Amino acid sequence: MFPSHDPTLFLSGAFQSVIKIYGHYDLLVNNAGIGSTPDYEHLLRINLSAVIEGTLSAMSHMRKDKGGRGGLIVNIASTTGLAPAPFAPVYAASKHGVVGFSRSFGPAVEPLGVKVLCLCPSFANTEIHLGRLKYVEKWETIDRIMEVSEVASAFAKLVDEEVNGSVLGVYHDGAEYQFRRKARL
Ligand SMILES: NC(=O)C1=CN([C@@H]2O[C@H](COP(=O)(O)OP(=O)(O)OC[C@H]3O[C@@H](n4cnc5c(N)ncnc54)[C@H](O)[C@@H]3O)[C@@H](O)[C@H]2O)C=CC1
Ligand SMILES: CCCCCC(=O)/C=C/C=C\C/C=C\C/C=C\CCCC(=O)O
């Protein structure tokens, strides 16, 4: 279904369809992502560039100064966007990029009625890990792999609280804001 070589081709078509059917955007969640692969440009394209392009496209429809009615964008990063991940350095770089972009872009577009939030889950039981979970047993900081429902609850908290530019970490022992206010440049 997805043109996996170029996620932005899919994105532009999807955006046009939503506008055609519904006329506006209220919410965009940039969730698509892939795990480690030797083709680092491909990984960055999907995990980082597509998030940036999706955010910019949604923003262009949401911004109040151009006839939009505001909106919310949620970018899914990872705890590997917050802490070093020696088992997956390129993946971690892509997720650090998503965290930095979301923190910076949200406050920049607040005057246009758009907010950007970022969710950083730790290890959760999904298909991204297929065939590779054997490594997890050796990872000392992970007590257990989370269920998807725990990530979903944290997502609901982030969206309910809607603090622009905030970054919510999701861990096996609960969700915790990692960034919630301005840092020094
Ligand atoms: N499962 C985990 O431990 C964690 C996952 N994440 C992130 O959560 C997000 C969702 O991943 P999961 O649900 O875990 O994995 P998943 O493999 O179950 O889901 C990834 C989704 O991305 C889509 N996708 C991949 N390449 C695409 C492309 N080129 N165009 C359109 N869609 C594409 C897939 O079709 C799939 O639906 C990802 O961004 C991942 O990096 C973050 C932290 C932890
Ligand atoms: C490389 C994909 C990793 C996706 C998981 C993620 O975003 C967050 C993980 C947080 C903590 C993981 C800590 C230790 C895991 C150790 C090895 C994982 C290798 C499994 C894999 O899918 O590559």
Side-chain angles (χ1 to χ4, degrees):
M1 178 179 175
F2 299 118
S4 61
H5 56 288
D6 188 350
T8 55
L9 287 179
F10 169 74
L11 278 178
S12 61
F15 276 108
Q16 281 159 18
S17 304
V18 170
I19 292 297
K20 213 165 161 184
I21 296 166
Y22 300 102
H24 63 268
Y25 268 92
D26 295 311
L27 171 70
L28 170 72
V29 181
N30 282 307
N31 176 62
I34 57 170
S36 295
T37 158
D39 184 348
Y40 71 87
E41 287 183 336
H42 181 62
L43 186 149
L44 291 172
R45 181 112 194 86
I46 293 173
N47 286 7
L48 179 57
S49 302
V51 171
I52 294 172
E53 288 174 38
T55 303
L56 294 175
S57 296
M59 226 282 293
S60 69
H61 295 292
M62 290 171 172
R63 52 188 299 171
K64 286 184 172 170
D65 64 325
K66 295 272 162 72
R69 51 187 220 181
L72 182 61
I73 299 170
V74 184
N75 292 331
I76 309 300
S78 157
T79 50
T80 64
L82 298 165
F87 58 89
V90 179
Y91 178 84
S94 72
K95 296 301 186 178
H96 272 76
V98 173
V99 170
F101 174 70
S102 306
R103 293 183 68 200
S104 303
F105 197 71
V109 297
E110 175 131 0
L112 309 178
V114 179
K115 289 185 177 179
V116 182
L117 312 176
C118 184
L119 192 71
C120 287
S122 180
F123 230 98
N125 187 12
T126 73
E127 292 187 1
I128 205 169
H129 302 297
L130 277 184
R132 294 189 289 201
L133 281 176
K134 58 179 190 263
Y135 299 116
V136 179
E137 289 155 23
K138 297 181 189 142
W139 199 260
E140 57 206 23
T141 64
I142 304 289
D143 280 11
R144 67 177 175 85
I145 300 171
M146 291 185 293
E147 293 307 322
V148 170
S149 58
E150 296 172 76
V151 180
S153 300
F155 179 93
K157 172 185 167 70
L158 180 70
V159 168
D160 273 353
E161 296 177 355
E162 219 182 277
V163 179
N164 195 11
S166 62
V167 178
L168 184 65
V170 193
Y171 302 92
H172 67 268
D173 53 357
E176 194 180 322
Y177 279 100
Q178 302 302 304
F179 299 107
R180 223 183 165 181
R181 54 178 75 131
K182 287 178 189 159
R184 292 168 64 178
L185 279 175

